[in-house]
Amino acid sequence: MSDNKYMLHLGIAEKGKIYCLQGNYKQALRHFKEAIRMTQNQPNGDVFFQHYSQCVMETLELSGANDEVISYCEKFLDFLDEKEEQTEVVKAYRNLILEKMAIQYVLKNEKEEALEILKQINTKEVNLPVAKELLNWVSRGYSVSAKQLKDLLKKHLYYIIRPDKINQAIAMELPEVIAPI
C-alpha cells in the first residue's frame, strides 16, 4: 500500500474541519466518520481514532447536540477504560473527555452533574484551566451563560478545530457515494 493511499484519511479529516468551521456540521461529521473508518486497521490507528473522535465531539458540541456529546464521551471513556495500559497519555485524555462532558452539563444547566465531574478532574496533577475556572464558577453557584462559556473556551484555546490548525493544502472532498448524508 502506498503512503499516499495510507494517508488519504488526513485530507478527508482536514476537509471535515473546514466544514465544521463553516457550520456545515453534517458534512463535517460525514468526513470525520469516514476518516475514522479508514484508520481502523492501520498502524497507529488508535492515535487517529482519538483525534478524529475529538473532532466528532467538537462538531457535535458546536452544533448544540449536548446530549449526543455526553453519550459520545461516555462511549469514549469506556473505550479508554478498556486500554490494557493506563499510560499518562490515556489518563490525560480521559480528563479531557471528562472536561468536555462537564461543559455539556453546564450548557444544559445541569450543575450538579457538572460539579461532580469537575471535582473528579480538578486535582493538583491535572492542569485544565477551563475545568478549574468552571469548578470555581459552578461550586459558587454562579449562573454561566453560553456566551461566558464560549468566551472561556476561546480564551483557553479549548477547540482543536481552529483556522490556524487546518492544513488547507491537503483537504480532500469525500465523494457523495461514500457515506451519503
Side-chain angles (χ1 to χ4, degrees):
M1 187 183 299
S2 74
D3 285 344
N4 286 342
K5 188 174 180 183
Y6 170 75
M7 301 307 269
L8 283 174
H9 61 89
L10 293 172
I12 291 168
E14 289 302 297
K15 187 65 175 184
K17 293 174 186 178
I18 292 168
Y19 278 127
C20 181
L21 291 175
Q22 292 171 347
N24 189 342
Y25 303 122
K26 285 184 180 181
Q27 280 290 353
L29 290 170
R30 180 174 164 260
H31 282 70
F32 296 138
K33 288 178 181 178
E34 183 60 20
I36 289 171
R37 188 197 64 73
M38 292 175 76
T39 60
Q40 284 178 342
N41 296 316
Q42 291 186 0
N44 299 320
D46 276 1
V47 173
F48 293 115
F49 174 76
Q50 289 176 7
H51 178 70
Y52 297 156
S53 291
Q54 190 168 355
C55 291
V56 168
M57 287 185 278
E58 281 189 14
T59 302
L60 291 170
E61 190 171 11
L62 291 166
S63 75
N66 307 105
D67 289 328
E68 287 182 57
V69 176
I70 291 168
S71 176
Y72 207 97
C73 287
E74 288 169 347
K75 290 175 186 169
F76 203 82
L77 289 170
D78 289 343
F79 168 78
L80 291 175
D81 289 344
E82 290 173 9
K83 293 276 186 201
E84 289 179 23
E85 192 176 349
Q86 291 293 310
T87 64
E88 290 305 311
V89 171
V90 171
K91 290 175 187 174
Y93 201 68
R94 187 176 205 297
N95 288 329
L96 287 172
I97 300 302
L98 287 169
E99 178 184 56
K100 188 171 289 298
M101 278 181 76
I103 289 167
Q104 303 317 299
Y105 283 120
V106 169
L107 287 167
K108 291 177 58 168
N109 204 28
E110 295 179 11
K111 293 178 183 171
E112 292 300 318
E113 290 84 352
L115 188 57
E116 184 179 315
I117 294 168
L118 290 167
K119 284 180 180 177
Q120 264 184 66
I121 58 176
N122 276 290
T123 65
K124 290 179 183 177
E125 300 83 37
V126 177
N127 184 24
L128 294 172
V130 170
K132 286 188 186 315
E133 281 194 57
L134 272 181
L135 176 61
N136 183 27
W137 293 351
V138 174
S139 63
R140 292 172 181 235
Y142 294 167
S143 179
V144 182
S145 71
K147 181 178 179 344
Q148 287 172 308
L149 190 53
K150 182 180 177 182
D151 290 346
L152 177 67
L153 300 178
K154 186 176 181 179
K155 171 184 164 186
H156 291 291
L157 301 174
Y158 169 80
Y159 293 110
I160 61 168
I161 301 175
R162 300 191 311 260
D164 62 315
K165 297 293 182 187
I166 294 177
N167 184 350
Q168 300 243 357
I170 67 166
M172 179 183 301
E173 186 61 60
L174 189 59
E176 187 62 36
V177 176
I178 299 175
I181 294 178

